[in-house]
């Protein structure tokens, strides 16, 4: 029996009502669930308002005195750019690849999310990405990269808030500055300068596509480690740009034919690594590690790049010259014996930059014949001929080289991929150099050792070593201040005096004595017995007090070997003290930094170095004249090769363990130390300051002052011109060779009262020069 039409109609209404009720109930449940989820996941969300004061970590940059960049510090290598600095080619590549609807969506792309969710359901794993640029930015700034449902909800909520508070250009700019692009580079500007050595405004289409392709996996698509993979990803980006109408087919195909074209620019601090390290430590002490590494400070230093290059070359040349004087040592590494790979695969540390003339580098021996050895320097070739290794004493390379040996060479010339080289060996000794501008106290060059990569110990600042006869400048300064004259005389003869409770007999390394000599001669020829005798007259406590006035720190023991350099000083302190003489008796505190600003240019530090009146200008001028004599007629004669007015003093310690030379021109002072880190190891007999350290000083000063006018010392009259006014009776004339010593082991004379103008003055470790 069939139901009446009215009954059917009523039944349909009831069914529809039940379905509607169920639908509304489900909607209510869903709405409640969503609200609950929003409440649960929104409670712990970061406050978007934090972005108003957010500043990403930015590179601290160091600049030389001419504005050249010399180093960087960073936890994250990042260079900020504005929206207007982002070129269209990069903008289009990002949009086409990462978020085509960026300009239209409100932080969440619903169709893309549903598509990705369906793909995840079908595959049974979370593999599809549906994040907009805003969602990626939220993740980079506030969340972790893990793929979880909770993180996706939080990412969505944060994106909605970001879109409410910031414009699209602001969001896009933050994204471009924040995204990680491999090898420590954050943001497109840092990545562009690293991979292509140019700012983003100069990126080509294939270069921009390569960088954008790395967003998905910076290490997986690294062009350094996975070039083919990176190339494929880049070409995919180009295809996506074509599909989105950003480029034409012809542009896409032309760009896909291009190689990756990397021009790597590793962030280096190798222009002046020891100098940069000192600046880094100063910044940490002054502003704290957080500011030094993350706040993008701009540090304007005193370094002169030209002088620094001259300093590093001089130190390297001087140490290699020392090694050649002491013969071939052998003990080479070998790529086969030491399991360093193969000849083809081996990569030396310094092969990541182009070769340059006068550089010392590592080469691999690829073949050894009776008359020559073939070498490989990355992609360049070289050949060692007998003249290139004559200093070793061997006639054939077969006598001392094997295939696979790693040798040190100096580049003499480069023609295409063929280098002309000479054989060297890795230095065992060390050296340090520091150079200071007299008038300002600015440190213009600093080398703390042969290789910063091998040893970060800064021998110019952190090390203290006995300074030998270079300490005598403080003794003679005190004598002049007490009224002595360069033409007063003193006895350079053997004698014994009690020092520190024990008998002490000063002598020179040659064992000879010069009898009665002037103070001028005593300093120029660096006579030790005369110096100790002079110290007995002026008073050792007065000499120590004078050294303190010059800024000398550390322990200065109250015994007579002190005046011959038994005290250990730092090269920086000692060199700074020598600036007093050409500076008219004034010392300006040495410093590395002129000023520091914030990333935005606000000044937060400016150098105001202390200025000390050390000695009178008259004493300073007389000491300058006496130290000119050291160069003209004394132990520092090698400095005459500079062919400019200059003064200085050599220093050599017992057993030739330390060699020093400190010298100056009217505008610039430099100090050099040479020795072994182990102070028990001798440089070798005869390795005095004049032989080991002075040539480094001369080479440096020639390079540093090249192209500058020749200067005279103002107000300084050469002592040779004054000598006629001060006739004296001496055993050794002032202008005799420094090694001239006619009087042997003379008995000590009876004490005589001090006079001037030719009457002898009583008085009294030990190489001295």
């Amino acid at each position: 029996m069939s139901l009446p039409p009215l009954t059917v109609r009523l039944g349909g209404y009831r069914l529809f009502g039940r379905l509607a009720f169920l639908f509304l109930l489900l909607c209510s449940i869903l709405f409640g669930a969503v609200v609950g989820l929003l409440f649960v996941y929104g409670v712990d969300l970061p406050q978007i308002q934090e972005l108003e004061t957010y500043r990403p970590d930015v590179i601290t940059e160091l600049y030389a005195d001419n504005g050249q960049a010399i180093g960087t510090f960073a936890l994250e290598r990042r260079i900020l750019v504005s929206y207007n600095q982002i070129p269209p080619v990069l903008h289009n590549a990002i949009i086409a690849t990462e978020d085509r609807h960026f300009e239209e969506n409100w932080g969440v792309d619903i169709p893309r999310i549903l598509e990705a969710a369906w793909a995840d359901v079908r595959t049974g794993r979370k593999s599809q990405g549906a994040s907009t640029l805003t969602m990626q930015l939220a993740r980079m700034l506030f969340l972790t990269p893990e793929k979880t449902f909770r993180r996706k909800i939080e990412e969505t909520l944060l994106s909605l808030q970001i879109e409410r508070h910031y414009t699209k250009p602001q969001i896009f700019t933050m994204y471009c500055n924040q995204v990680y692009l491999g090898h420590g580079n954050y943001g497109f500007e840092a990545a562009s300068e690293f991979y292509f050595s140019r700012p983003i405004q100069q990126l080509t289409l294939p270069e921009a596509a390569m960088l954008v392709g790395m967003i998905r996996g910076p290490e997986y698509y690294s062009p350094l480690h996975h070039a083919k993979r990176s190339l494929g990803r880049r070409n995919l980006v180009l295809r996506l740009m074509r599909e989105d109408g950003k480029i034409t087919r012809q542009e896409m195909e032309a760009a896909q034919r291009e190689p990756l074209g990397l021009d790597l620019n590793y962030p280096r601090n190798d222009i002046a690594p020891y100098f940069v390290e000192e600046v880094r430590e100063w910044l940490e002490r002054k502003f704290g590690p957080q500011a030094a590494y993350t706040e993008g400070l701009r540090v304007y230093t005193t370094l002169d790049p030209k002088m620094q290059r001259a300093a590093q070359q001089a130190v390297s040349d001087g140490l290699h010259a020392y090694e050649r004087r002491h013969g071939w040592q052998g003990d080479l590494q070998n790529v086969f014996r030491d399991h360093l790979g193969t000849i083809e695969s081996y990569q030396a540390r310094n092969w990541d930059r182009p070769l340059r003339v006068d550089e010392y580098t590592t080469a691999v021996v690829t073949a050894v014949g009776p008359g020559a050895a073939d070498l490989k320097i990355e992609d360049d070739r070289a050949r060692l001929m007998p003249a290139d290794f004559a200093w070793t004493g061997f006639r054939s390379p077969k006598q001392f080289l094997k295939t696979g040996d790693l040798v040190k060479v100096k580049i003499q010339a480069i023609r295409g991929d063929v280098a002309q080289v000479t054989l060297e060996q890795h230095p065992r000794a060390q050296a340090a150099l520091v150079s200071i501008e007299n008038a300002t106290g600015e440190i213009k060059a600093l080398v703390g050792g042969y290789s910063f990569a091998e040893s970060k110990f800064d021998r110019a600042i952190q090390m203290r070593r006995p300074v030998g006869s270079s300490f005598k400048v403080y003794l003679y300064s005190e004598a002049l201040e007490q009224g002595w004259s360069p033409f007063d005389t003193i006895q350079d003869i053997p004698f014994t005096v009690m020092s520190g409770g024990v008998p002490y007999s000063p002598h020179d390394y040659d064992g000879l004595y010069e009898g009665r000599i002037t103070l001028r001669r005593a300093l120029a020829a660096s006579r030790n017995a005369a110096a100790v005798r002079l110290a007995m007259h002026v008073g050792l406590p007065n000499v120590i007090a004078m050294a303190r006035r010059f800024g000398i720190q550390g322990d200065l023991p109250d015994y007579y070997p002190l005046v011959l350099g038994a005290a250990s000083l730092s090269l920086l302190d000692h060199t700074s003290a020598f600036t007093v003489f050409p500076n008219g008796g004034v010392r300006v505190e040495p410093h590395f930094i002129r000023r520091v600003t914030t990333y935005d240019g606000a000044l937060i530090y400016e150098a105001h170095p202390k200025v000390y009146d050390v000695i009178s200008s008259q004493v300073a001028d007389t000491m300058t004249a006496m130290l000119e004599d050291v160069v003209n007629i004394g132990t520092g004669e090698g400095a005459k090769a500079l062919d400019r007015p200059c003064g200085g003093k050599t220093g050599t310690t017992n057993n030739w363990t330390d060699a020093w030379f400190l010298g100056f021109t009217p505008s610039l002072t430099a100090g050099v130390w040479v020795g072994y880190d182990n102070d028990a190891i001798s440089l070798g007999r005869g390795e005095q300051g004049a032989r080991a350290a002075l040539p480094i000083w001369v080479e440096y000063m020639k390079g540093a002052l090249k192209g500058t006018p020749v200067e005279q010392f103002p107000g300084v009259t050469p002592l040779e011109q004054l000598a006629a006014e001060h006739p004296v009776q001496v055993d050794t004339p002032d202008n005799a060779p420094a090694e001239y010593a006619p009087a042997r082991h003379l008995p000590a004379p009876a004490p005589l009262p001090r006079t001037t103008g030719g009457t002898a003055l009583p008085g009294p470790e030990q190489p001295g020069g």
Side-chain angles (χ1 to χ4, degrees), residues 148-165:
T148 64
F149 181 72
R150 178 189 180 95
R151 194 220 68 191
K152 204 67 179 178
I153 295 295
E154 292 176 336
E155 187 179 291
T156 301
L157 296 176
L158 285 169
S159 300
L160 295 172
Q161 292 188 51
I162 291 173
E163 289 280 346
R164 284 179 55 206
H165 287 84

Side-chain angles (χ1 to χ4, degrees), residues 191-309:
S192 178
E193 294 189 11
F194 174 76
Y195 293 109
F196 300 112
S197 298
R198 62 170 68 95
I200 56 175
Q201 292 91 340
Q202 299 175 19
L203 285 175
T204 64
L205 172 60
E207 290 168 350
M210 191 209 83
L211 294 180
V212 172
M214 296 179 67
I215 295 173
R216 182 67 60 89
E219 306 303 336
Y220 187 79
Y221 293 112
S222 166
L224 275 66
H225 300 153
H226 309 289
K228 290 181 65 175
R229 195 181 291 164
S230 179
L231 188 67
R233 177 68 180 170
R234 181 204 69 178
N235 291 343
L236 172 61
V237 172
L238 291 168
R239 190 165 69 249
L240 291 172
M241 293 179 72
R242 167 71 185 96
E243 292 174 359
D244 200 35
K246 305 296 186 184
I247 58 175
T248 66
R249 176 176 295 278
Q250 291 77 13
E251 288 175 321
M252 177 192 73
E253 292 173 349
Q256 287 179 336
R257 287 193 295 268
E258 291 290 322
L260 289 177
L262 299 180
D263 182 11
L264 297 178
N265 179 24
Y266 284 95
R268 294 181 175 278
N269 295 337
D270 62 357
I271 294 175
Y274 290 98
F275 184 97
V276 169
E277 179 63 12
E278 293 295 336
V279 172
R280 184 191 66 78
E281 292 180 0
W282 183 91
L283 289 172
E284 281 197 12
R285 292 193 301 270
K286 184 73 174 177
F287 302 109
Q290 181 73 13
Y293 300 119
T294 68
E295 294 184 6
L297 301 179
R298 297 297 180 256
V299 185
Y300 300 89
T301 75
T302 62
L303 187 86
D304 184 307
K306 171 190 168 185
M307 293 184 182
Q308 180 64 31
R309 286 191 294 270

